[in-house]
Amino acid sequence: MKRQRENAIVFADPERCLGCHGCELACAVAHSGTGLHQAALSGLTLRPRNKVVAAGGVMMPVQCRQCEDAPCAAACPTGAMLQESGQVGVREKNCVGCKVCVMVCPFGAISVKHEGSDPESCRTNGGVARKCDLCAGTGRGLPACVEACPTKALSLVDLEEYRQTLIEARAAELAQSLQHLKSRKARI
Amino acid sequence: MTMKLTTDPSAATLLPIAKKEGVSTVWDRHRAMQPQCGFGQLGVCCRICWKGPCRIDPFGDGPQRGICGADADTIVARNVIRMIAAGAAGHSEHGRHVALALQGVAEGRLPAYQIRDEAKLRAVAAKLDICTEGQDIPAIAAAVAKATLEDFQNQDHDAPCNWIEASLTKKRLERLQALHVLPHNIDAVITQIMGRTLVGCDADPVNLILGGIKGALADFDGMCLATELSDALFGTPSPVITAANLGVIKPDAVNIAVHGHNPLLSEVVCEVAGQMDEEARKAGAKDGINIVGICCTGNEVMVRHGIPLAANYLSQELALITGAVDAMVVDVQCIMPSVSEIGACFHTAVITTMAENKIPGATHVDFKEETALESARRIVATAIDAYKRRDPRRVNIPDFKQTAIVGFGVESVVGALATLNAEDPLQPLIENIANGNIRGIALFAGCNSTQVAQDSSFVTMAKKLAANNVLMLATGCGAGSFAKHGLMTQEATLEYAGDSLKAVLTAIGTSAGLNGPLPLVLHMGSCVDNSRAVQVAVAVADKLGVDLDQLPLVASAPEAMSEKAVAIGTWSVALGIPTHLGTMPQVTGSAKVTELLTQTAKDLLGGYFLVELDPNLAADKLLEVIEERRKGLGI
Ligand code: SF4
Ligand code: SF4
Ligand code: SF4
């Protein structure tokens, strides 16, 4: 049977986010296949897969939640969106740019625009669905946004580890109060 | 992420000690700062007004204009010329300080100072077209000071500064005049940059950059006058054998490190230290007082008095971690504010001396020219006092020091050449360039940056250029790194110079009485002394009847970091010199500004920036440029 493990997510702490857009820039460069200065010098159009938003007095980047029952994957008519190695992946060659995924994503995490130089033919705008892919395939340990955030507002959360830590913390609290109760009993 | 640290051998001894003692260094802080902000690296972040900060999306998807409407080109151009203004301000304040001191000496107000090189003063007067016939030294000094201070006062926009007019080829002056970039008044030009970059002013990137070039040329003017007047006041450098790297700190002496840029204070400290040597011995230091230099104050006293150089920019903290520096006396520029904190971890007294440069935690001894001797005595006494608190168990002086032959000002270079041809000293140099024994000349200018492993780019490039018979001059922390790594020795010439360069350096060195070749790299002084190299180049160009942009001459700042370096690099380009940068300038967010500086400049000025982070490739590219220039001259 397939081992069941939740998709990891990039978690943003709105109390720490300064709104510097550093994560956006890092994301765009990480997916450009080149360095910051080179990309700027050659005038590449790059798109970050996250977006810093400010609303209701809160500021933080929003990006793909890697939904377990992903509406984008369910809606995608060509099977371009799919569950794949711990994330919701995009098979770019299958994407026709129909934007159904854009419409069903509750977070606005997907964009479909063309990048780089102008499309070569009049048949295509060269638009492909782009969203956070946790920097898979960029060869880095941590997603670029997490690495770049100067205030450590971003973290890559493996939900099993996250849950394990939570459980242990609560259990430790419980243990402490039990001990407390026991010692009180002993004293009485 | 691979971290680049340093190639200084002293660091291997001292960094583990810093780690053990919990002292953070510049490299620790560099690591903590990673990754650095991309908007800042590209120069597309604007904080010029309080509607901002604004930042432009360099990749075309997000905002393309700031709130006021400024685009990336405008923002990048404004940011970079403000850096030029800051650099020019630093150098010219230094120059003004020296000029005012000269005026004070002329008026007999400053007992601590005198004209040490009267011949130089006369030469300067002649250069400035001041009639000296029948005048005594104070009168000449007064006239020179007056003409110099005019460069800070002249309000006629069409009359260029006196010093720049006296320091360049005629063709160059005409070319710069035609572009309206000749400065008329250093202060005014710097102010103009601040004014035109105010919110809602100059938005044309080309016009902004031209304004910046004018500011950079004002920087050049300030440097010329600072160098030349310092020579008149403190003596013109001549070759002297000394040593470099932290091994010059002595365990049994009161060690005073002079750090910063301005010779006005360090000169007096050196003098007073000599008089107070006995007091240091009484306090238990059996080797008396030992003065060592750091950064350009260090270079100033090194080329004039042979005082050894302990560290260049990035290793200033390591000097303190030896636990054997009793006082670090600082004036202006390139002093890391961290030194007071590190000094406090040891017994070291960190002493600031300038009203406009204080550091929290440091002791401040106010320095005025009128009372320089008293201040210097207080400083030396503080050092002796601190020595008594030194903990010998915490002393770790690395056993590294290299011999360095330094002090090649224009006069001594010409003097050395005159031993070959007294009638026409430049002739042997020109001949050797023409016949290809010397392929070209490269000037290495200052700075270390944590973006490069300390000193590595300097050393790599120098070895390659030397092997290809390029004559090398160096100033500032670049000179410091060559000295520390043993490239300012005769042995280095024998080991690394190509055959024809070796032969030339040997011929000059031998006939100048050095019993062997000149060192591989010639130390011309501190970063303000870059003007010395220009003087050599102008003399050669004048003699050949060509302009600077035709000479096989290149400049390089392989580890640049300071705003002063931005100013120097820009005037170097404006003078027609192809100028290499080995760290990424913060301009790539604007294609227009990048193109202006690296390409358009070539047509307008003959000089241009060449960015190459790999020192090996950079050396190749400079060699190519030199060959291209040679072809242009038909040699
Ligand atoms: S990098 Fe961090 S602080 Fe900056 S916008 Fe992103 S989450 Fe916020
Ligand atoms: S793109 Fe949107 S819908 Fe699809 S997995 Fe991510 S958050 Fe869920
Ligand atoms: S000057 Fe313009 S670009 Fe700069 S911060 Fe103000 S509004 Fe933004």
Side-chain angles (χ1 to χ4, degrees):
Chain A
M1 203 179 72
K2 199 172 153 206
R3 186 164 125 67
Q4 203 50 53
R5 196 180 169 106
E6 289 118 303
N7 297 336
I9 51 163
V10 172
F11 170 79
D13 178 352
E15 294 197 350
R16 288 173 156 251
C17 177
L18 288 176
C20 68
H21 296 250
C23 50
E24 288 180 10
L25 197 62
C27 174
V29 174
H31 291 88
S32 74
T34 169
L36 174 71
H37 295 282
Q38 207 39 51
L41 283 173
S42 44
L44 291 184
T45 309
L46 301 180
R47 279 154 50 202
R49 282 131 164 91
N50 52 359
K51 177 139 189 76
V52 181
V53 290
V58 169
M59 205 156 39
M60 61 175 218
V62 173
Q63 63 213 91
C64 174
R65 304 284 309 167
Q66 317 293 349
C67 309
E68 298 299 328
D69 183 10
C72 57
C76 179
T78 67
M81 290 280 175
L82 74 179
Q83 296 286 349
E84 193 178 38
S85 31
Q87 55 153 308
V88 177
V90 190
R91 289 245 170 102
E92 287 179 14
K93 64 177 191 336
N94 290 1
C95 176
V96 295
C98 71
K99 308 173 204 75
V100 177
C101 56
V102 177
M103 307 180 88
V104 298
C105 173
F107 299 97
I110 310 178
S111 64
V112 184
K113 292 187 202 161
H114 92 263
E115 288 170 26
S117 49
D118 287 315
E120 294 105 64
S121 80
C122 48
R123 202 188 55 75
T124 176
N125 276 332
V128 177
R130 297 273 194 225
K131 67 166 201 65
C132 167
D133 57 2
L134 300 175
C135 288
T138 61
R140 55 179 68 240
L142 270 181
C145 56
V146 175
E147 224 172 52
C149 178
T151 63
K152 309 247 183 306
L154 295 177
S155 46
L156 178 68
V157 176
D158 172 301
L159 288 129
E160 281 183 13
E161 276 171 26
Y162 180 77
R163 192 177 311 102
Q164 190 62 29
T165 332
L166 264 186
I167 292 173
E168 279 167 16
R170 289 302 90 78
E173 271 171 30
L174 209 64
Q176 218 178 9
S177 44
L178 270 177
Q179 234 141 35
H180 180 67
L181 282 177
K182 259 198 221 152
S183 65
R184 245 179 45 168
K185 252 192 217 146
R187 258 184 274 136
I188 294 170
Chain B
M1 197 172 309
T2 53
M3 290 301 299
K4 311 157 180 156
L5 298 180
T6 170
T7 56
D8 188 324
S10 294
T13 316
L14 292 170
L15 286 181
I17 295 173
K19 190 162 182 197
K20 201 172 106 223
E21 306 232 346
V23 175
S24 86
T25 65
V26 65
W27 293 288
D28 298 317
R29 297 189 297 273
H30 179 77
R31 188 181 302 117
M33 206 52 69
Q34 300 307 312
Q36 286 166 280
C37 172
F39 294 99
Q41 286 175 21
L42 298 172
V44 292
C45 165
C46 179
R47 289 183 298 108
I48 279 175
C49 86
W50 285 356
K51 302 192 302 302
C54 298
R55 53 195 147 12
I56 304 303
D57 175 358
F59 302 127
D61 202 39
Q64 294 301 295
R65 286 179 182 270
I67 298 169
C68 69
D71 64 7
D73 298 326
T74 303
I75 291 175
V76 168
R78 282 180 184 163
N79 285 343
V80 71
I81 75 169
R82 280 197 166 200
M83 297 189 95
I84 293 174
H91 282 141
S92 61
E93 274 303 283
H94 175 160
R96 186 202 320 265
H97 201 165
V98 178
L100 289 172
L102 181 70
Q103 193 180 45
V105 170
E107 293 167 4
R109 285 189 281 110
L110 307 179
Y113 302 93
Q114 59 265 278
I115 308 290
R116 290 227 184 100
D117 190 340
E118 297 186 356
K120 179 86 186 212
L121 182 68
R122 285 180 198 280
V124 165
K127 184 173 167 157
L128 292 174
D129 254 344
I130 294 169
C131 172
T132 54
E133 248 187 54
Q135 305 273 350
D136 61 0
I137 286 296
I140 300 174
V144 167
K146 181 161 175 280
T148 302
L149 290 168
E150 263 169 29
D151 283 2
F152 295 89
Q153 286 151 356
N154 168 39
Q155 300 302 330
D156 176 356
H157 284 246
D158 298 321
C161 286
N162 293 328
W163 275 91
I164 204 166
E165 213 174 12
S167 306
L168 291 180
T169 61
K170 207 159 153 282
K171 284 188 187 151
R172 185 56 33 181
L173 287 167
E174 279 162 10
R175 194 152 173 182
L176 297 173
Q177 183 80 334
L179 289 168
H180 305 288
V181 292
L182 270 186
H184 68 290
N185 169 333
I186 297 173
D187 288 344
V189 169
I190 294 169
T191 309
Q192 204 175 60
I193 290 183
M194 297 314 280
R196 77 197 304 158
T197 54
L198 190 71
V199 59
C201 289
D202 201 355
D204 175 1
V206 179
N207 202 40
L208 280 160
I209 294 294
L210 285 173
I213 290 173
K214 196 184 215 177
L217 288 166
D219 178 77
F220 174 67
D221 193 81
M223 291 172 74
C224 288
L225 64 92
T227 298
E228 298 288 280
L229 300 190
S230 296
D231 281 357
L233 281 171
F234 306 120
T236 303
S238 58
V240 46
I241 302 175
T242 176
N245 215 333
L246 291 173
V248 304
I249 296 175
K250 293 186 184 162
D252 294 317
V254 173
N255 292 300
I256 302 180
V258 290
H259 179 10
H261 278 73
N262 190 329
L264 280 172
L265 170 75
S266 48
E267 284 285 334
V268 189
V269 171
C270 293
E271 197 180 312
V272 167
Q275 299 158 6
M276 291 174 72
D277 203 65
E278 204 39 52
E279 267 173 64
R281 286 173 205 272
K282 264 190 222 135
K286 65 177 195 298
D287 289 340
I289 295 176
N290 179 39
I291 303 215
V292 300
I294 296 181
C295 285
C296 280
T297 293
N299 285 321
E300 296 267 354
V301 291
M302 186 185 204
V303 295
R304 292 208 173 88
H305 309 301
I307 286 177
L309 186 83
N312 54 350
Y313 180 72
L314 278 185
S315 43
Q316 58 182 282
E317 297 175 319
L318 296 183
L320 298 176
I321 295 168
T322 61
V325 173
D326 303 295
M328 180 183 261
V329 189
V330 308
D331 46 67
V332 288
Q333 299 167 23
C334 298
I335 302 140
M336 294 187 196
S338 63
V339 290
S340 71
E341 209 184 312
I342 299 182
C345 296
F346 295 89
H347 68 295
T348 312
V350 173
I351 304 169
T352 53
T353 54
M354 298 291 184
E356 69 276 20
N357 278 65
K358 297 188 181 177
I359 300 174
T363 309
H364 188 73
V365 175
D366 201 30
F367 168 78
K368 295 268 176 310
E369 288 74 24
E370 288 77 6
T371 50
L373 287 167
E374 283 120 80
S375 311
R377 265 183 225 117
R378 252 185 79 197
I379 287 167
V380 176
T382 309
I384 295 175
D385 203 45
Y387 169 81
K388 296 180 195 152
R389 294 193 304 273
R390 186 198 290 177
D391 179 351
R393 285 164 308 182
R394 293 183 71 202
V395 170
N396 289 290
I397 303 172
D399 192 15
F400 294 109
K401 105 177 138 183
Q402 290 279 357
T403 302
I405 307 178
V406 305
F408 293 90
V410 180
E411 292 78 356
S412 48
V413 169
V414 173
L417 290 168
T419 58
L420 294 179
N421 182 344
E423 299 282 279
D424 191 355
L426 287 179
Q427 195 51 38
L429 178 63
I430 290 172
E431 240 164 53
N432 279 301
I433 295 176
N435 66 20
N437 284 342
I438 296 176
R439 299 306 294 176
I441 303 180
L443 167 66
F444 281 98
C447 291
N448 280 154
S449 167
T450 44
Q451 312 283 4
V452 180
Q454 184 188 14
D455 302 336
S456 65
S457 291
F458 282 111
V459 172
T460 308
M461 287 181 70
K463 287 184 183 165
K464 195 156 192 180
L465 291 182
N468 285 281
N469 301 304
V470 174
L471 177 67
M472 290 175 290
L473 314 174
T475 58
C477 285
S481 65
F482 295 130
K484 286 189 327 181
H485 290 269
L487 295 190
M488 288 181 166
T489 58
Q490 300 182 312
E491 293 74 19
T493 307
L494 298 175
E495 188 171 349
Y496 299 112
D499 289 337
S500 58
L501 177 66
K502 198 185 297 175
V504 178
L505 292 177
T506 308
I508 304 174
T510 313
S511 85
L514 283 175
N515 280 333
L518 291 177
L520 186 66
V521 188
L522 302 182
H523 192 319
M524 292 216 123
S526 63
C527 38
V528 289
D529 295 338
N530 279 309
S531 51
R532 295 191 203 276
V534 175
Q535 249 183 295
V536 177
V538 168
V540 172
D542 277 342
K543 189 147 193 330
L544 293 174
V546 299
D547 196 4
L548 295 170
D549 63 337
Q550 291 168 277
L551 298 179
L553 169 68
V554 294
S556 170
E559 305 183 14
M561 63 99 202
S562 161
E563 286 169 315
K564 294 186 296 168
V566 183
I568 297 173
T570 308
W571 66 242
S572 169
V573 165
L575 297 191
I577 306 168
T579 302
H580 162 248
L581 292 177
T583 49
M584 198 42 114
Q586 294 169 351
V587 300
T588 53
S590 161
K592 205 169 264 167
V593 173
T594 308
E595 191 191 309
L596 260 170
L597 296 175
T598 56
Q599 287 161 45
T600 322
K602 200 170 185 171
D603 307 323
L604 289 180
L605 300 157
Y608 52 92
F609 280 109
L610 189 162
V611 181
E612 176 51 67
L613 307 195
D614 178 326
N616 261 309
L617 295 180
D620 290 340
K621 289 185 181 172
L622 290 183
L623 288 167
E624 255 169 56
V625 172
I626 286 174
E627 291 311 317
E628 189 188 306
R629 288 267 166 116
R630 294 185 65 90
K631 223 183 256 153
L633 281 173
I635 52 176

